[in-house]
Amino acid sequence: MTTDVRLGIAHVPTHAPETLRALAEAAEAAGLDDLWVWEDCFKQSGLASAAAALAWTDRIRVGLGLLPVPLRSTAVTAMEVATLARTFPGRFVPGVGHGVQEWMGQSGVRVSSPLTLLREHTEALRRLLAGDEVTTSGRYVSLDAVRLDWPPTEPVPLWLGGVGPRSLALVGELGDGLILANALTPDDVRGSVAAARSAAQDAGRELTDVHATLIATTGPRAQERLDAELPQWGAEPGRGIGAAGDAASIAAAVRTLVDAGATAVAIQPSASEPDLPAFARFLGAEVRPLLTSVG
């Protein structure tokens, strides 16, 4: 049986912005499906990274997980997403979330109801990207006859991130895809997918796309490097999070996430990874063939 998982690589802000170009070009040359960029406070701009990666490549899909909605007005987000979607049609996947509340507080944009803001932002953003004129007056999002002059020429998938039960329910209700956190066990993934898909079914929708991230290391001291990496993401070694070892070990971990409901998996290099382009080539040449021959 052949798996249909999309295999990608994540450029995480533990690596400097200037390392992105070589990674993007190597990931595309290696035949990977996706390149995912992040927006973490106060590290790197997700939209700037996505725009650069799209410009440096021709085929690979570039995903952005996630844009914290308190940091931007809905109109600005719509303009930014529409510009990239028109310039690189079919290759950009934006994702939005309510942000890490501690960071939102540091930025002076923390709200008392993050999920209300995410709902209002997502609903208005979707209408703007569809080319509608939007007038709305919500608790947080207010627009007066706003319409994009240059909306996307084709539908743009709008993915949402979630961890807690209420966030996952909102993803199922409104999202075109679910973006999961990076340090989850397969059981965590399975439970999150089930919750989001149940909410989608209750809303009369179908949630098919699920993006998961797998922290992985290979080469010398792979397990030691993985164990040192996990605490940076709030995870403890020995709990079945991440993968360390050769291509077969990493492919097996990817398949476990697919069995738990993921349809796209991005491999996240550790902060100690010395050669990001070589790691991308390893994934394309050695890990990907194992996923297309074994299900």
Side-chain angles (χ1 to χ4, degrees), residues 73-85:
S73 75
T74 307
V76 169
T77 304
M79 290 188 293
E80 291 171 327
V81 170
T83 298
L84 289 182

Side-chain angles (χ1 to χ4, degrees), residues 184-273:
L184 299 179
T185 67
D187 285 343
D188 292 334
V189 171
R190 184 174 292 104
S192 297
V193 172
R197 286 183 171 161
S198 175
Q201 185 176 24
D202 290 344
R205 307 176 67 247
E206 184 179 7
L207 183 72
T208 56
D209 290 318
V210 176
H211 168 76
T213 302
L214 177 71
I215 303 172
T217 55
T218 191
R221 301 172 34 251
Q223 187 63 54
E224 179 183 338
R225 289 167 47 226
L226 176 64
D227 290 346
E229 179 78 11
L230 291 177
Q232 296 187 55
W233 308 101
E236 297 177 2
R239 293 186 55 238
I241 295 173
D246 59 10
S249 299
I250 294 175
V254 171
R255 289 195 296 271
T256 299
L257 294 178
V258 173
D259 291 342
T263 60
V265 177
I267 305 301
Q268 176 180 322
S270 68
S272 63
E273 175 55 52

Side-chain angles (χ1 to χ4, degrees), residues 34-213:
D34 299 326
L35 170 69
W36 283 83
V37 297
W38 287 23
E39 180 160 285
D40 270 3
C41 297
F42 300 92
K43 299 176 178 67
Q44 296 174 22
S45 162
L47 278 162
S49 298
L54 287 162
W56 289 326
T57 57
D58 297 309
R59 175 199 58 81
I60 198 167
R61 186 176 74 170
V62 176
L64 200 175
L66 296 158
L67 288 170
V69 298
L71 288 177
R72 291 179 180 81
S73 75
T74 307
V76 169
T77 304
M79 290 188 293
E80 291 171 327
V81 170
T83 298
L84 289 182
R86 287 186 69 104
T87 307
F88 306 99
R91 294 181 55 213
F92 178 49
V93 178
V96 296
H98 53 57
V100 176
Q101 296 311 295
E102 179 181 356
W103 293 342
M104 298 304 100
Q106 287 180 270
S107 303
V109 294
R110 184 169 185 169
V111 298
S112 58
S113 180
L115 288 179
T116 299
L117 170 56
L118 182 57
R119 173 185 293 280
E120 292 180 359
H121 183 100
T122 302
E123 291 175 339
L125 178 60
R126 188 180 297 282
R127 292 179 60 198
L128 290 169
L129 293 175
D132 296 345
E133 180 179 286
V134 179
T135 296
T136 184
S137 180
R139 182 173 176 181
Y140 299 112
V141 176
S142 295
L143 300 170
D144 182 10
V146 175
R147 184 196 299 270
L148 296 177
D149 284 5
W150 299 100
T153 54
E154 57 186 68
V156 178
L158 187 57
W159 292 26
L160 275 68
V163 177
R166 294 174 60 210
S167 296
L168 290 167
L170 188 64
V171 173
E173 181 184 347
L174 299 179
D176 295 318
L178 166 63
I179 299 177
L180 292 168
N182 62 338
L184 299 179
T185 67
D187 285 343
D188 292 334
V189 171
R190 184 174 292 104
S192 297
V193 172
R197 286 183 171 161
S198 175
Q201 185 176 24
D202 290 344
R205 307 176 67 247
E206 184 179 7
L207 183 72
T208 56
D209 290 318
V210 176
H211 168 76
T213 302

